């Protein structure tokens, strides 16, 4: 996989690199291959329910707007029920570029997703050069990031960040850590159906995560999970 780095001007003085935005353009054959890979991944991860239901963005029928409504509902219900809910928003800094490829392949194998070896070979041979992409340009290789401008990259990142969301959910289930609100009960006090899954502690927004819990201790335990995963994969966070 080979890409050409173009540097379109984004404003300011044209003699400064900070006023340019590097963009990697993949060749047509790579884009076609990535399209096939992306369609195959979608047919694997969605029917098998590999991705967490509260992971929004980059998925058909699961836009980030839906998750924003869930967070808004939590806030409304906390006020209505007179309860305190703790919320921390986590931004994964430069996530698509900082993610370890080795960590991605390990996560995909953990979820038993096939064709990981093919993706490893494609990325192992991935290079980029500055335009005009000739012999005089330095060849750059990577051990982090998913390919910029690739149609498969959002799907690959969704699979990767799904490991963190899954760990938060499992930790919450094992230690009873959630928002703790009564959601799904009508005015007559009928009990909610268990399969609705109203007790949760996280929602995903592409490369951002919101954590909502009912106790400071619970929040600290989930933040410890975030620290453990991000330290393992090399991604920095803003809280």
């Amino acid at each position: 996989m080979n890409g050409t780095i173009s540097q379109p001007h984004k404003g300011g003085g044209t003699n400064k690199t900070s006023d340019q935005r590097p963009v990697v353009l993949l060749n047509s054959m790579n884009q076609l291959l990535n399209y096939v890979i992306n369609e195959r991944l979608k047919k694997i991860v969605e029917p098998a329910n590999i991705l967490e239901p509260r992971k929004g963005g980059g998925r058909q029928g699961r836009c980030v707007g839906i998750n924003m409504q869930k967070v808004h509902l939590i806030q409304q219900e906390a006020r209505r029920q007179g309860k305190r809910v703790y919320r921390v928003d986590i931004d994964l800094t430069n996530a698509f570029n900082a993610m370890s490829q080795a960590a991605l392949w390990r996560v995909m194998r953990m979820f038993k997703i096939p064709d990981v070896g093919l993706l490893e070979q494609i990325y192992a041979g991935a290079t980029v050069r500055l335009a005009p992409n000739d012999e005089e340009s330095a060849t750059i290789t990577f051990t982090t990031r998913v390919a910029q401008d690739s149609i498969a990259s959002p799907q690959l990142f969704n699979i990767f960040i799904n490991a963190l969301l899954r760990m938060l959910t499992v930790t919450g289930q094992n230690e009873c850590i959630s928002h703790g609100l009564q959601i799904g009960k009508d005015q007559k006090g009928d009990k909610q159906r268990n399969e609705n899954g109203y007790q949760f502690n996280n929602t995903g927004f592409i490369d951002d995560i919101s954590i909502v819990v009912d106790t400071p201790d619970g929040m600290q335990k989930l933040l410890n999970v975030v620290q453990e995963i991000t330290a393992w994969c090399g991604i920095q966070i803003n809280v």
Side-chain angles (χ1 to χ4, degrees):
M1 180 165 58
N2 177 258
T4 300
I5 302 175
S6 179
Q7 295 178 288
H9 181 243
K10 65 177 183 179
T14 57
N15 60 332
K16 297 180 180 179
T17 56
S18 60
D19 294 326
Q20 299 174 346
R21 179 179 178 85
V23 176
V24 176
L25 304 176
L26 300 179
N27 62 41
S28 299
M29 184 58 66
N30 286 328
Q31 288 285 35
L32 179 60
L33 177 59
N34 278 286
Y35 179 84
V36 173
I37 291 173
N38 185 57
E39 289 300 307
R40 178 168 169 78
L41 286 174
K42 285 196 297 185
K43 291 179 180 179
I44 293 172
V45 300
E46 294 293 354
N49 293 319
I50 291 175
L51 299 183
E52 292 292 292
R54 282 172 293 279
K55 172 64 182 76
R59 303 174 65 187
Q60 186 174 2
R62 296 184 184 272
C63 66
V64 294
I66 295 175
N67 281 357
M68 286 300 299
Q69 289 297 321
K70 292 178 181 178
V71 173
H72 184 59
L73 175 63
I74 293 296
Q75 295 172 336
Q76 283 185 318
E77 286 297 312
R79 285 192 293 265
R80 186 180 70 83
Q81 297 177 28
K83 294 183 178 181
R84 179 173 294 179
V85 172
Y86 300 86
R87 172 182 167 187
V88 171
D89 295 326
I90 298 173
D91 170 48
L92 304 178
T93 307
N94 201 21
F96 280 66
N97 292 330
M99 179 195 65
S100 164
Q101 292 175 8
L104 171 62
W105 312 141
R106 185 169 178 180
V107 167
M108 294 183 73
R109 288 192 169 96
M110 178 186 70
F111 287 126
K112 301 187 184 304
I113 297 174
D115 301 333
V116 180
L118 172 61
L119 285 165
E120 280 186 296
Q121 291 180 21
I122 292 173
Y123 272 81
T127 60
V128 296
R129 288 176 173 174
L130 281 169
N133 200 346
D134 56 20
E135 295 295 332
E136 296 182 0
S137 300
T139 300
I140 305 171
T141 59
F142 303 97
T143 57
T144 62
R145 77 173 50 211
V146 287
Q148 188 184 80
D149 198 38
S150 167
I151 191 174
S153 292
Q155 185 72 260
L156 291 172
F157 185 79
N158 275 350
I159 293 170
F160 172 77
I161 203 62
N162 189 67
L164 174 53
L165 299 179
R166 180 73 59 87
M167 286 292 293
L168 292 172
T169 297
V170 170
T171 301
Q173 291 171 343
N174 291 340
E175 303 196 31
C176 297
I177 304 173
S178 70
H179 55 70
L181 300 171
Q182 293 180 335
I183 300 179
K185 293 185 177 182
D186 62 20
Q187 295 178 351
K188 296 180 181 180
D190 293 337
K191 292 183 178 180
Q192 68 183 28
R193 295 166 58 186
N194 291 332
E195 61 266 28
N196 287 337
Y198 287 117
Q199 291 298 323
F200 58 89
N201 58 36
N202 68 85
T203 52
F205 305 86
I206 305 181
D207 57 353
D208 299 312
I209 298 171
S210 283
I211 300 177
V212 287
V213 300
D214 57 351
T215 66
D217 288 342
M219 178 63 74
Q220 186 58 58
K221 289 179 180 179
L222 296 185
L223 291 178
N224 290 343
V225 172
V226 174
Q227 182 180 26
E228 179 183 354
I229 295 295
T230 54
W232 170 66
C233 67
I235 290 181
Q236 302 295 314
I237 64 172
N238 291 320
V239 178

